[in-house]
Each structure stands twice: as structure tokens, then as C-alpha cells.
Amino acid sequence: MTYLPTGTRSFLLACLITTALSSTASLAAPDDTVAVQNARPTNTGKPASDGAKTGPQVEAVIVTAQRRSQSLQSVPVTDNVFTSSQLLARQVVTTADVLANVPNVVAFSGSGYSQADYYFRGIGENDGFQTFNSAVATYIDDVVVSRLGGASSELLDLDRVEVLQGPQGTTFGSNTPGGAVLLYSKKPTDTFHASAETAFGTHEQSDSRFMINGNLLPGLDGRATAFVFHNDGYQNDVNTGQSGYGGQTNWGVRGALRYMLSDTIDWNVAYDFSHLDGQRYDAGTNPNYPNQFTQPIGILGGSYTALTTDLNDCTKGASVIDWERNNCSGSITTNQGVTSNLKWFAGPNLNVEFITGLRRATQDYTLDVGFDSPYSNLKDLVLANSSLFEQFSQEIKASGRLFNGFINYVGGLYAFNEWDETNLDEFFRFGTALHAPASARSDLFHEYIRNGTVSEAAYLQTDTHLTDKLTLTTGIRYTHEREQVEVNTRDPAAGNAPIYDTAQIIGQPVLSAHRFTPKVAVSYQFVPDFMVYGSYVDGFQAGGWNGRASTAAEFTSFGVEKAQSWELGWRSELFDRRLRFNGTFFWVNYNGLQLASAETINGENTEIFTNAGNSQVRGIQLDSEAALTRHLTLNGGLGLQEAKFTELAAGVASTGLTLNSPVPFSPPLTWNVGVTYRTDELAWARGNFIFNGTFQYVPAYNAGAATTSTDSQVTTNLNMSLTYRPSNSPWTVGAECTNCTFRIYVPFAGGAADYISEPGYAGVRVRYAL
């Protein structure tokens, strides 16, 4: 099977479009969102210039939710933005930590600490297998991370994070019908900066981060960052009495260069690498040991006792099969990428960007998804998975203004290639003694899968300013996507005899999608600080295959999943910008909903991935931030949603799933609050103090579409920190805690495996910055 690069045609067509746009750029008036800067450009995501302030104000933030720089308050999109200072205050470490601060969102990691299992407004994906796509995409500096594995890695040296909800099919393309998570790194500057920080706490946890930035040569700036994280683990084993399971050892580096080739050409190149090594933190179900967790009493951040599959060091052995022979469930993920963004200021009102991304990830894990724990003498189903993901993308984007500011536009061409390989072993393991670790195994099959994706797209979005207050936004994207799969399965118990291959599968080995995804929005700026908008937008994600099938009859293909979304919202800044209060009413229809659901194949009831039917989600999202005084700032978010099935496919309905069944991963209520308090400089302390606190609430929700689906537990998470800053000193020192109530709960449950929350952490952090 061959996957041919397609960027050449896109590149030539982009050059023609760029030339045409350059010829009309002289008709446009200057605009601070796209104007050429003849000096070194500044980063977005920073407070906008406010002039003379009359009192405390919330940050005015510049975002790129529509692929060009705009004020957050002028964008007709649901966009939650977190600047670098806010990420620090909220103790954000991973992308999932960010999403804990966003309403109508569920985020967790299933098959490994680094897997990005995200659900926005009732749609997403919780299986990182390569034949499934996610409805929520993660982007690093405008380059998509195509697979879930590794997409929730440690956040390092970020300028800001934007969380877009609702279909983003016009400017961000396929596989974003639920939304997108945009990570933007800090760019090098010509001023010398350096910092180092380290934190130590319970469970022998340590977290160290380093950064250095400065000018290297005339016009060339550089920035280097690194992190090292370690945790000894926090689980005790009820059978052996051993402790210290569930630990992690993660590290990563990032290097970036920024070269101003001329006053009109700005080139940014970056390389990143991360290694994430962690044991599982699930507890198996055993009828003789009820699935309960014993919370330590009177021990701050102590370990808890649970029935666990984590028996040995996951790194012993050359493969995931060796890990499992030690009765270990764990994951090791490596993620690396090169990003290049060459920006050409082609005219007074035209910017052209050439965005190139090359990424490679490996993900190895074992996962106990069986019927009982390894301490039962009954069967226990185990997956041992080893995957390689490689991708290349090329985008050419132009943005600017035409006709004296009457039209703002952004448009471009996009090409994407992906190659994935997975070796999967599935088997039963069982013990001869009831309370002893598993001592035998029964191999089911070994599966090798290779699949690839070729995608090409062209898009254009415009803002037409019909009056000084009324703006019409129109957009369209055309996407052509082609996917192909090869599969080969063997029976290890029968001398690796063939079971089935590509020619025998029921599903189509080649899938193709051609779609237009439009957007229309109307916004009206009543006064400078109050805007209302209404929008309609389409999105879709590609089809795929039930790749975890154990027979050729189960290896079926499924089609695209489509979303049509209506929004009515407002953006407001009140009381001299002391209060930002934004709200959105939304209504989304999902057609061809891709779900893991129970179906009958060859007379046998099994759970497969399929287009299960249609659903509808409607609700409201409220976001606010208030600078009450120059000392005290509050923020909060509230999400209400109602999700229901509107139609079910015949095969799905026959298994017992009904229109009244709860739509998975769609909690009806989510909310979060945060507070920051800064003291004045205190004479007795010779410095000042900063307190930060955040709280998140998510009720129990359905976590599966099959008739045997299970519910998560209520999530309540409190994080706090208190930092002391000495006067005129580069040092800061602070105390911090996460899950400060030291509560144990199940954020996600599936089958017989419960994914347990990390217990409370308490520690101290010291930072030195120049």
C-alpha cells in the first residue's frame, strides 16, 4: 500500500492565490489585526494596549480562533482562553488540566497517562486505536496532532491555550465536529531571560522545569526549555501488601529559533520531544473483593488501597508482552515533532504563512479490560498494544483586508499525510488460586494493522463589515480525504496460523470522503463593550474501521460523523472592563454518531464501533471573569446541556439500546470557579503573597453506549497555591496542593476497569527567574 505526498499541487495553487491577493492588497486600509510590523513582531495571547486605566481591569486577550489575530470579545466563536499567567495560577500541567476549567467538557486519560480522551458537548472519543478518529483535535502551533496517544502530554513553555467548542470544520478542517484545543508556544525574543523551578511533595513527587532565551546572532533569537517529572506512585496492593504502584517518570525538551530574515520575513522553527512512562491506575472488579477504595485516614496525601493490576515495573522486558507476563499494566509514550512557520508580510495588509509540521509518536501499553481481576481464577481479558504514528502536514495561509477594511479574510490550502502501524495481542489470563496473581494465559490472536490517510483541503472565510456595527461572517471549506487499511491476524496458540487478512474483512479497506463544510455568522456590536451574534456551522469527522475485531465478520467499516451547530451568544465587558461576562446558547445535531455499541454478528453479541444513529445536544455555556479590586480577581464557568438520541440504527436498537438511553459522556451540569488574591508589599514580610484557588464539579455521567455501560462518579477537584515573592528578588517560594480534599473518585469507568483519580498532592515549589 502506497501513500503519495500531495503538497506539491497545493503549493502551486497557493502561490497563484497569494499573487492575486497581493495585487489587491493596496485597496485595504491598515488594521491592527493583520498589519505588517516592520520591527520584530510580538506574540498574540497578550493583553492588548488599553491606554490609561481607571482601575482594575480584566485582561484584553488577542486570539486566533478564526486563524487570524482578533480580540477575544469580537470573535463569534465559543473560545475559552488561558494565558501563560493563568496556566501557572491554575497549576496546569497537562491539556486535561486545562479542560477541567471549561464547562460542558469531559477530559481524562484512558489507555495511558498521555492519551487525550476529550468530549465536548456530547461528542468525542475514548479509544486511541488508530482506526478510530476523535471529534476533538489538538493543535500545537497550528499543526494538528492526529492521534489521541500522546496528545495530552506535559505542557511546556506555553504562551496560551485556546479551547474552541462546536464544529470547527471551516478553518480547522475534518475531525473537529466537537471542537479543537489550540496550544501556542512562547516564541524566542532578543532579550535574555532564564528561569529554573523545582517542586517536591507527597509520594516522592518532583517536578523541575528550565528555560533560557536570548539573542544568538543578529536577527536570530533562540529559546530552550526542558522538564523532568517523577512520582513514586500512590497505590497499595490488597493481595501482596506492596505499595508504590501507579508512578510516572516523564521528561521532555523543546528548542525554538526565530530568524528575522528581513523586515518582511519572520521564520520560526521548533523541535520538541517528550517521553512519558507511567503505570496504570485502574482497579479490576472482583466479586470476592468489592470494587472499593480505602482512603487513608489522617495521612496527608497518603496512598490508598485498591485492587490493582499494577504488580511489577512496566519497563522490565523488551515489549508490552513482557510487561504483561509480569502482570503489569502500563504505558510508555514518546512524542516528537518539527514545526516550521515562515511568515511573509507581503503588503501593508497581507500576511502569508507557510506552516509545515512533521510529527512521530510511539505508544506502548497493556490494558486490563477483562471480566475479573488478575486475582480471580476466572478469565481476564488483556490487550497488549504497540503503535507507531507518523504524519506530515503542509498549509499555506493568507490573511488580510480588502476595500478599505470592508472585508477581512483568511484562506488557505492544506495537505496532510499520515502513516500508522500497530501490533496488538489479545488474550485471556487466569489464575489457578483464587487470591494469587494470574499464572496462566490463553492467547486469542495477534493483529497487525497498517493504515494511512491522505487529505487535501481549501478554505476561505470572510468578515464583511456591512455597517460600523453589523458584520457578516461567511466561510466554506472543501475537504477530500482518503483512508486505507491493511490487516493481518494470526493465532499464536496454533503456531501463528492465519485467522483473517484484508481480503476477508467485511468492511471496505478504502474509505473516501468529499465534503463542503460551511459557516455563516452575523454579529452586532451594540456598543464597544457589548456584542451579540448568531451562527450556523458544519463539521465532520472521517469514517474508520472496527480495528479491535477478533474475527473478519467483526472487522466492519463505518462512515463519516456529521455535525450541524447553531449558536446564539453575547460577548460583554462591563463596568469599565472590570467584568467580562460571555454566554452562548447552542444546539447541535450529530448524524451518524460513531459509538462503541453492542451488536449481534453471526449470532454472537459483541461490542463494536459503528454509526449508531443520531443525537441532539442543546444547552448553554456561561464564562465570566471579574477584577473586583486591584487585589482580588474571580473567574467562573457554568455549563448546562441536554443530550438525547433522536434515531438509532436498526442493528443497534435490536440489542437493547433505546432512544431513552443516556448519551455517553454528556453530564447535564458542569461548573468551575477560581480566585486570585494578591497582597500589597508587606513591610513585615519584605515582599507580597499571591493566593490562587480553583474548584471543578462534574456530576456522574454515563460512560458507554452499550447496554452494560457504567457510570463515572461525581468529580469534585480543589486546587490551591500560596506564593511568596520577596521584594526586588528573582526568587519565589510557595506551597501548593492538587485535589486538596484528598478525595478518591472514578472519573471514567469502562467494562471491569475503573480509572481512579490521583489522590491529593501537597508540596512546595521554588522558582528563580532572570
Side-chain angles (χ1 to χ4, degrees), residues 236-518:
N236 299 327
D237 189 271
V238 295
N239 183 71
T240 65
Q242 298 181 47
S243 61
Y245 300 118
Q248 301 178 65
T249 299
N250 307 329
W251 63 273
V253 295
R254 183 178 187 274
L257 295 174
R258 187 175 194 176
Y259 186 28
M260 293 293 296
L261 284 78
S262 68
D263 289 341
T264 60
I265 297 180
D266 179 21
W267 189 16
N268 285 271
V269 180
Y271 170 78
D272 65 89
F273 179 90
S274 62
H275 177 96
L276 306 148
D277 182 350
Q279 291 180 305
R280 293 297 309 151
Y281 51 103
D282 58 340
T285 299
N286 187 327
N288 300 294
Y289 284 92
N291 197 8
Q292 301 293 328
F293 318 117
T294 302
Q295 174 71 37
I297 300 175
I299 303 176
L300 185 66
S303 296
Y304 59 87
T305 298
L307 186 61
T308 173
T309 60
D310 299 328
L311 298 178
N312 291 288
D313 182 0
C314 287
T315 60
K316 290 181 179 178
S319 72
V320 291
I321 294 295
D322 294 322
W323 300 351
E324 194 285 325
R325 288 195 179 104
N326 291 330
N327 285 325
C328 171
S329 292
S331 66
I332 294 180
T333 302
T334 64
N335 220 327
Q336 59 183 318
V338 176
T339 302
S340 170
N341 187 320
L342 182 65
K343 181 177 288 188
W344 171 36
F345 303 107
N349 299 282
L350 173 64
N351 295 340
V352 181
E353 294 181 56
F354 302 85
I355 305 169
T356 307
L358 180 64
R359 300 203 63 83
R360 184 181 191 272
T362 62
Q363 185 184 33
D364 296 336
Y365 64 85
T366 59
L367 184 62
D368 186 341
V369 296
F371 312 111
D372 303 286
S373 82
Y375 305 116
S376 170
N377 57 355
L378 303 177
K379 288 182 178 180
D380 195 25
L381 181 64
V382 177
L383 303 179
N385 192 101
S386 181
S387 297
L388 168 66
F389 312 124
E390 295 180 312
Q391 66 172 79
F392 172 79
S393 62
Q394 177 65 59
E395 182 176 10
I396 304 175
K397 183 186 70 171
S399 59
R401 300 185 72 195
L402 301 172
F403 312 118
N404 293 318
F406 183 65
I407 295 177
N408 292 74
Y409 67 86
V410 59
L413 298 168
Y414 181 75
F416 173 82
N417 272 16
E418 180 184 16
W419 310 265
D420 303 324
E421 292 185 0
T422 290
N423 283 283
L424 172 67
D425 286 270
E426 186 172 316
F427 46 85
F428 287 111
R429 63 182 176 188
F430 50 89
T432 55
L434 180 61
H435 295 162
S439 57
R441 56 182 287 169
S442 174
D443 292 295
L444 295 177
F445 70 99
H446 170 83
E447 180 180 52
Y448 169 78
I449 289 184
R450 181 173 185 254
N451 68 292
T453 300
V454 174
S455 181
E456 297 173 314
Y459 63 93
L460 177 65
Q461 183 167 303
T462 63
D463 287 346
T464 303
H465 304 289
L466 302 176
T467 70
D468 290 342
K469 296 183 177 182
L470 182 63
T471 299
L472 173 66
T473 299
T474 56
I476 190 71
R477 185 186 189 103
Y478 173 74
T479 301
H480 171 215
E481 193 155 292
R482 184 176 183 269
E483 301 175 282
Q484 189 169 345
V485 69
E486 289 180 350
V487 59
N488 190 304
T489 63
R490 302 282 175 173
D491 184 357
N496 284 324
I499 300 177
Y500 68 88
D501 58 19
T502 310
Q504 298 168 296
I505 64 176
I506 298 299
Q508 297 294 323
V510 178
L511 301 176
S512 182
H514 305 258
R515 290 197 63 82
F516 286 95
T517 46

Side-chain angles (χ1 to χ4, degrees), residues 544-623:
W545 300 270
N546 183 42
R548 295 197 184 279
S550 57
T551 66
E554 295 175 3
F555 203 107
T556 56
S557 55
F558 50 88
V560 300
E561 181 178 62
K562 296 171 286 186
Q564 297 86 37
S565 173
W566 293 263
E567 288 191 359
L568 180 64
W570 72 88
R571 304 289 178 261
S572 65
E573 289 179 337
L574 309 173
F575 311 117
D576 196 20
R577 226 181 76 214
R578 293 192 178 196
L579 172 64
R580 176 181 295 130
F581 183 50
N582 298 334
T584 304
F585 294 93
F586 61 88
W587 183 307
V588 191
N589 289 333
Y590 299 114
N591 298 314
L593 195 65
Q594 297 174 1
L595 289 177
S597 56
E599 290 201 14
T600 301
I601 298 178
N602 292 338
E604 185 174 323
N605 198 340
T606 185
E607 186 173 285
I608 71 168
F609 218 76
T610 186
N611 296 109
N614 304 333
S615 69
Q616 177 189 98
V617 182
R618 56 187 178 182
I620 185 173
Q621 178 172 329
L622 303 175
D623 298 285

Side-chain angles (χ1 to χ4, degrees), residues 117-171:
D117 299 318
Y118 306 149
Y119 281 78
F120 289 9
R121 297 178 179 175
I123 190 172
E125 177 52 43
N126 69 321
D127 193 323
F129 201 65
Q130 69 192 57
T131 59
F132 310 141
N133 296 301
S134 175
V136 178
T138 300
Y139 287 77
I140 300 177
D141 295 327
D142 288 326
V143 173
V144 68
V145 180
S146 61
R147 294 291 121 198
L148 296 181
S152 185
S153 59
E154 301 266 345
L155 301 183
L156 184 62
D157 203 32
L158 288 184
D159 180 72
R160 74 187 187 282
V161 178
E162 297 184 37
V163 181
L164 310 180
Q165 293 200 58
Q168 305 296 322
T170 302
T171 50

Side-chain angles (χ1 to χ4, degrees), residues 66 68 70-77 408 461-474 519-527 530-536 567-571:
Q66 297 191 123
R68 59 187 180 87
Q70 296 174 276
S71 167
L72 170 65
Q73 293 301 99
S74 66
V75 177
V77 175
N408 292 74
Q461 183 167 303
T462 63
D463 287 346
T464 303
H465 304 289
L466 302 176
T467 70
D468 290 342
K469 296 183 177 182
L470 182 63
T471 299
L472 173 66
T473 299
T474 56
K519 176 178 181 177
V520 178
V522 177
S523 61
Y524 191 83
Q525 196 82 38
F526 281 95
V527 293
F530 185 76
M531 180 266 281
V532 298
Y533 77 92
S535 69
Y536 169 82
E567 288 191 359
L568 180 64
W570 72 88
R571 304 289 178 261

Side-chain angles (χ1 to χ4, degrees), residues 200-206 230-233:
F200 298 94
T202 51
H203 305 294
E204 303 298 322
Q205 182 166 306
S206 62
H230 177 77
N231 186 311
D232 273 355

